[in-house]
Amino acid sequence: MQLRHLAYFVAVADEKSFTRAADSLGVSQPTLSKQILALENSLGTRLLVRARAGVELTSAGEALLPHAQRILIEAENATRSVHEVASLQRGRVRMGATPSMVEGLLAPVLRQFRAEHPAIDLEVHEAGSRDLTAELSTGRIDLALLIVPLASQIPDLETAVVYTERLVLASPAEADMPDQMDVAELEDLPLVMFREGYDLRDVTFRACHAAGFEPRLSVEGGEMGSVLRFVESGLGHAVVPDIVMGTRTGLRRTRLENPPLSRSIAVAHRPLDTLPLAARAFRAVLVEALEG
């Protein structure tokens, strides 16, 4: 079994097509088929079968896939680490964060890290916590700022809480709203709601249900930017992190009490000693900035 065989196998499993996998790898389809056959022969079993809808994994292929993905991730990390020098003159950090954290927390950290390590490439993935957790598990990103507790536990994923943020009610600037209100008073307000999978959606629904009512939705399905714009346009109100309100002159902030709403933010990554040097250096700057 060779790394090349595993890379070809994972490509076919991802694309569900020998033709598309060959194109993505830059090899001919006969070459790809030959390498897959060599892998199957070395293991003594079929891994892939052709079906009407495309290529499907056999049960043996399904068992091999997560191991193959992990091996390729570790091989890539090893290669990256070898090419990095101790003084961090080169390298890349693949960082994930939710939209509110990108807008409210991450930019100053990126600026500080760039000033200290100008030769390190920075790559930001903006998504919800569930999607970022999946990207961490498959090795597409090195570390991420996530909302905890996580909806599902991922083996070997380490988390450390670095920040607790207050949630507030965002309303149109012209709305006649108090500076403070109880969560129960949300019952009378039309709410702009985030899409499925957003932890802010879950937090809002849980708070409303705990107060004994079903929230009344005016618009739903948005990302952070669109939700804030909908509120600015007068379509309703939204429960959002306080950190996104600072530069929004078209919004009015109301503190939520009884109970106050907050959420914990953690930096998450695979075991620290497996991270590339650049990612470890970025984590140190990130933790210092947020905990300080």
Side-chain angles (χ1 to χ4, degrees):
M1 186 188 303
Q2 301 177 15
L3 284 177
R4 181 177 69 255
H5 293 157
L6 294 179
Y8 288 179
F9 165 70
V10 170
V12 177
D14 287 344
E15 297 290 349
K16 295 181 173 54
S17 163
F18 277 87
T19 301
R20 291 195 297 271
D23 289 341
S24 69
L25 293 166
V27 301
S28 67
Q29 186 172 335
T31 296
L32 176 61
S33 298
K34 182 179 179 180
Q35 296 300 321
I36 294 295
L37 180 60
L39 176 60
E40 291 178 329
N41 288 338
S42 71
L43 294 173
T45 186
R46 294 289 300 276
L47 300 172
L48 300 161
V49 293
R50 298 180 186 273
R52 180 171 298 179
V55 177
E56 295 181 355
L57 293 172
T58 65
S59 57
E62 291 176 349
L64 175 62
L65 182 59
H67 297 287
Q69 291 171 327
R70 182 178 294 275
I71 290 170
L72 293 172
I73 290 168
E74 295 304 328
E76 180 187 356
N77 287 343
T79 301
R80 289 167 60 193
S81 294
V82 168
H83 288 303
E84 292 173 353
V85 295
S87 58
L88 293 174
Q89 291 301 309
R90 71 178 81 174
R92 179 177 55 149
V93 177
R94 301 171 300 175
M95 174 69 196
T98 65
S100 63
M101 295 177 211
V102 170
E103 183 165 338
L105 293 177
L106 198 55
V109 179
L110 294 174
R111 183 172 60 247
Q112 179 182 344
F113 186 81
R114 171 64 69 192
E116 296 177 5
H117 305 288
I120 302 298
D121 296 329
L122 296 171
E123 181 180 321
V124 176
H125 293 227
E126 186 174 349
S129 290
R130 295 178 186 176
D131 294 336
L132 292 173
T133 301
E135 290 194 52
L136 280 172
S137 66
T138 58
R140 290 189 175 91
I141 57 178
D142 300 311
L143 64 164
L145 285 174
L146 304 173
I147 307 303
V148 289
L150 300 176
S152 59
Q153 296 301 315
I154 305 297
D156 299 329
L157 195 64
E158 298 180 358
T159 60
V161 174
V162 292
Y163 188 81
T164 300
E165 65 179 354
R166 184 77 177 261
L167 302 181
V168 299
L169 185 71
S171 304
E174 66 277 7
D176 183 18
M177 297 293 294
D179 293 331
Q180 176 180 318
M181 64 188 300
D182 291 349
V183 169
E185 296 177 79
L186 295 178
E187 183 176 10
D188 301 323
L189 299 177
L191 297 180
V192 178
M193 188 55 63
F194 293 91
R195 64 171 173 81
E196 292 280 355
Y198 245 82
D199 66 282
L200 286 168
R201 178 188 181 97
D202 298 335
V203 168
T204 304
F205 271 91
R206 283 199 302 269
C208 293
H209 292 162
F213 67 92
E214 189 70 25
R216 180 161 57 95
L217 307 185
S218 60
V219 184
E220 63 177 315
E223 302 280 351
M224 177 62 68
S226 58
V227 165
L228 295 176
R229 285 193 294 272
F230 292 156
V231 174
E232 288 173 333
S233 299
L235 291 171
H237 312 256
V239 176
V240 301
D242 195 27
I243 55 174
V244 305
M245 298 289 289
T247 59
R248 297 280 178 169
T249 58
L251 295 175
R252 179 182 178 89
R253 176 196 289 106
T254 297
R255 296 192 310 276
L256 292 171
E257 301 291 347
N258 296 320
L261 301 183
S262 64
R263 61 182 188 173
S264 297
I265 297 170
V267 58
H269 47 76
R270 296 182 302 280
L272 191 59
D273 59 1
T274 69
L275 290 182
L277 295 176
R280 277 181 265 174
F282 183 82
R283 182 190 184 281
V285 172
L286 178 69
V287 170
E288 181 180 5
L290 296 185
E291 288 186 337

